[in-house]
Amino acid sequence: MKHCANSQKTDTKEPGQTQIQRTMMQHLAYQPLLPTVSKYLQQKWDNESYELHRRKVKSAKPTINTTPPRTFGHLTVKLKKQKVGLYF
């Protein structure tokens, strides 16, 4: 591939159709955090790692339980009041 100042290439399939512009050589502007031999491969790995992170964030479940506490029957039913009601 020939390097030139203009990093865009124009493709046309047939006359009369719209032109599709694709940006070529995006890896040239990529600045990795750590020194690497291949910027292109490092960008590919970083993008895959980021996409994995986004999928994990999207599928994350909340860790706080917001449901109300269970109510137990022996606390809601007042047996003593029922028992007193039977005698009178």
Side-chain angles (χ1 to χ4, degrees):
M1 178 178 272
K2 186 177 178 182
H3 294 279
C4 60
N6 187 1
S7 64
Q8 292 186 349
K9 181 180 176 183
T10 304
D11 293 335
T12 56
K13 292 184 179 181
E14 292 180 14
Q17 287 187 344
T18 60
Q19 293 183 349
I20 302 170
Q21 297 219 345
R22 289 188 279 169
T23 304
M24 305 295 283
M25 299 181 286
Q26 292 177 348
H27 63 279
L28 293 178
Y30 177 70
Q31 294 295 320
L33 297 174
L34 301 172
T36 59
V37 175
S38 173
K39 288 183 182 179
Y40 177 73
L41 285 176
Q42 189 63 44
Q43 182 183 20
K44 179 181 174 185
W45 296 331
D46 289 345
N47 286 340
E48 287 174 9
S49 175
Y50 179 70
E51 289 302 320
L52 176 65
H53 165 72
R54 293 303 305 160
R55 283 193 305 269
K56 285 183 178 181
V57 167
K58 198 172 194 177
S59 67
K61 303 282 188 238
T63 57
I64 297 173
N65 183 6
T66 58
T67 59
R70 288 182 48 195
T71 55
F72 297 103
H74 69 281
L75 297 176
T76 57
V77 177
K78 306 296 183 185
L79 291 177
K80 189 171 184 179
K81 289 191 178 191
Q82 287 179 352
K83 198 181 275 188
V84 170
L86 289 176
Y87 294 118
F88 295 107

